[in-house]
Amino acid sequence: MSLKYPWLLLLFLVYLPLIAWYIAKYKKASPSVGMSTLSAVAKIPVSWKVYVHHFCFALELAAIGCLIVALCRPQSHDAFRTSSVEGTDIVLALDISGSMSANDLAPTRFAAAKDVAMKFVNKRDHDNMGLVVFSGESLSLMPLTNDRAAILAAIQNVQMGDLQDGTAIGDGLASAVNRVAQGNAKSKSIILLTDGTNNAGDVPPSTAATIAKQKGIRVYTIGIGTNGTIAIQDPYGFSTTTMETKIDEDQLKSIADATGGKYFRATDSGMLRRVFDEIDALEKSRLDVTKFTRTEEDFMPWTVAALCCFGMMMLLRYTVVRRIP
């Protein structure tokens, strides 16, 4: 906190004549009687009202002091501050196809992926992050933003069945490339998470990977779940069906290798968490972050304090220590 008009603190010098006046007035305020000895009344204690009277004067001084500080206009200063932090532009590309409801990862592949992704977002304080989902088609749900709450809400609210079913890995990757390419950070990356093989969409995964490479975007691919026959529940949990799933690991490795990224395999929830931890360690980049803060006036608390002191003084003076002329 600082004062806009600090020279007004000289007004505190008014305390000197006020205190001198109060002492002189107090000495003359009480009538006196001449006595030969005070032994008879020497042990009579001073009335508590005398101390209340002095307290009222202290409240007056406090009220005047608070008003002087308020006149000086105390302020909280905000300012530009530049610091070097670790950050990058990251887009999450999340598979929301029907096979993600399999429960080989507890409670389901989809729920486990969302949970780990949200924890990953919480760790990346200085990153710009976006969200793309895909199944039979792709959809960009969130542009690059540093708003952690917005990203977390988007991940939390996304549901399977929002898009036509299928696994359009190429379309999902292409949408993520378009989204992350708009960022200003030197380091750009995509985390693509899927549990299947590209069987839908218009863009071949290899083409999307080539575009990512040309734009200097690293792609980390994650194959989630186990291969083979899996049980899948409908969104309402009323029926269960089985289907054959197989992750195209060769294609995911090819995408990662072509872009300078890395391929990961996650067959359980614990392994998926470790995968995101490893990506978190890999994706670090130094950024200069400039923060702006503004100036706020803080005179109001001093004004309120002055009014409270004055009000208490008046209350005591006209009740407890009231004098009869």
Side-chain angles (χ1 to χ4, degrees):
M1 187 186 75
S2 64
L3 303 176
K4 187 171 184 180
Y5 306 122
W7 53 270
L8 286 177
L9 291 176
L10 291 173
L11 291 175
F12 275 105
L13 292 175
V14 77
Y15 275 15
L16 298 177
L18 285 175
I19 294 173
W21 169 82
Y22 179 78
I23 293 173
K25 179 184 175 183
Y26 180 75
K27 288 182 177 180
K28 297 179 180 179
S30 300
S32 61
V33 177
M35 301 180 66
S36 60
T37 178
L38 297 176
S39 59
V41 295
K43 296 183 179 180
I44 297 177
V46 178
S47 173
W48 61 270
K49 290 189 177 181
V50 174
Y51 297 108
V52 175
H53 184 76
H54 295 327
F55 181 64
C56 287
F57 180 66
L59 288 175
E60 284 187 66
L61 295 181
I64 293 172
C66 289
L67 285 177
I68 292 173
V69 175
L71 288 173
C72 292
R73 290 184 62 182
Q75 297 174 334
S76 296
H77 287 290
D78 300 333
F80 283 101
R81 184 181 65 182
T82 301
S83 59
S84 182
V85 299
E86 293 183 339
T88 184
D89 290 337
I90 301 176
V91 169
L92 299 173
L94 179 62
D95 189 345
I96 61 170
S97 59
S99 57
M100 289 289 286
S101 63
N103 58 10
D104 52 346
L105 273 74
T108 64
R109 294 177 179 178
F110 185 63
K114 286 174 58 174
D115 179 65
V116 175
M118 292 175 69
K119 291 178 180 177
F120 176 79
V121 169
N122 270 324
K123 289 182 181 180
R124 311 289 297 195
D125 292 335
H126 303 292
D127 293 328
N128 291 314
M129 305 194 75
L131 176 65
V132 169
V133 295
F134 65 93
S135 52
E137 53 190 341
S138 66
L139 175 65
S140 180
L141 281 184
M142 182 63 61
L144 287 173
T145 178
N146 192 250
D147 188 340
R148 297 268 102 31
I151 289 290
L152 292 172
I155 297 174
Q156 181 65 41
N157 294 330
V158 67
Q159 299 295 330
M160 291 183 299
D162 290 345
L163 300 174
Q164 179 182 347
D165 201 18
T167 307
I169 296 175
D171 283 10
L173 179 56
S175 295
V177 168
N178 288 335
R179 183 57 74 189
V180 77
Q182 300 172 9
N184 297 321
K186 294 180 181 179
S187 176
K188 303 177 187 295
S189 57
I190 295 170
I191 301 175
L192 186 146
L193 190 149
T194 184
D195 68 342
T197 302
N198 188 75
N199 56 21
D202 301 320
V203 181
S206 58
T207 301
T210 300
I211 297 172
K213 179 181 178 181
Q214 292 173 349
K215 294 182 178 293
I217 301 169
R218 286 186 298 276
V219 181
Y220 297 96
T221 54
I222 303 173
I224 182 173
T226 56
N227 292 323
T229 303
I230 58 172
I232 298 177
Q233 283 190 336
D234 65 55
Y236 305 101
F238 294 126
S239 62
T240 301
T241 59
T242 59
M243 68 176 295
E244 190 77 17
T245 63
K246 179 175 174 56
I247 299 172
D248 192 342
E249 294 193 77
D250 291 337
Q251 187 176 75
L252 295 179
K253 289 178 182 178
S254 176
I255 293 172
D257 292 341
T259 59
K262 191 174 180 179
Y263 169 69
F264 301 91
R265 187 79 165 88
T267 56
D268 58 58
S269 299
M271 189 178 296
L272 183 59
R273 286 191 295 272
R274 291 191 292 273
V275 166
F276 271 88
D277 288 341
E278 184 171 346
I279 295 174
D280 179 56
L282 290 171
E283 276 303 311
K284 298 291 185 182
S285 178
R286 303 301 300 182
L287 295 177
D288 289 331
V289 176
T290 299
K291 293 185 178 180
F292 174 73
T293 53
R294 58 188 178 185
T295 300
E296 295 182 358
E297 299 283 350
D298 294 330
F299 66 88
M300 186 56 68
W302 294 96
T303 304
V304 172
L307 291 174
C308 290
C309 290
F310 182 77
M312 186 179 297
M313 181 272 295
M314 294 296 292
L315 180 64
L316 293 174
R317 183 155 291 176
Y318 286 95
T319 55
V320 178
V321 292
R322 181 180 180 183
R323 290 186 176 184
I324 301 175

